[in-house]
Amino acid sequence: MKLLSVCLTACLLAAAPAAWARTCAVTIAGNDQMKFDQSTITLAPDCTEVSLTLKHTGKLAANVMGHNWVLSKTADFQAVANAGIRATIADSYLPKNDARVIVHTKVIGGGDSTTIKFPTSKLSKGGAYTFFCSFPGHWAMMKGTLSFG
Ligand code: ZN
């Protein structure tokens, strides 16, 4: 009986976060015309986790027309994007271990898709965030704003 009651308490505690956790799904697509299909992403205030899927709806290969989805503070975006030009595709065209990169997907080519999950605890409510593709030359066109809360 004692073991059972311990288990009940532990199980309830373990299950508790699921009651308020909310994963918000976001899907964004990039194409061979070097464009994302949306320029704003809004996360509801009660999202605790984001499941972001990037789709490449074009046909061109990743080394020619690769796309990724990178999130940084809007204040950091320009510097991170510029630093990414000097990186390689293996590093997702991003400076290594750069804390200004909040999250990012890998670089994908036409027909591919990739999904990342991240907690919204990485974001501040009301903060100004910019998402972009860090493939060299793409971020001038492939960028948008993300808001949370
Ligand atoms: Zn791109």
Side-chain angles (χ1 to χ4, degrees), residues 5 10 18 24 27 31 34 39 43-44 50 54-55 66 74 76 79 91 116 124 147:
S5 78
C24 296
T27 301
N31 61 20
M34 215 191 290
S39 57
L43 300 174
V50 179
L54 170 68
K55 292 181 178 173
T74 297
D76 294 332
D91 290 324
I116 53 166
S124 310
S147 57

Side-chain angles (χ1 to χ4, degrees), residues 32 56 58-67 89 107-110 135:
D32 284 344
H56 192 318
K59 290 189 166 62
L60 297 172
N63 63 338
V64 180
M65 181 56 71
H67 300 315
I89 192 167
V107 176
I108 59 171
F135 192 101

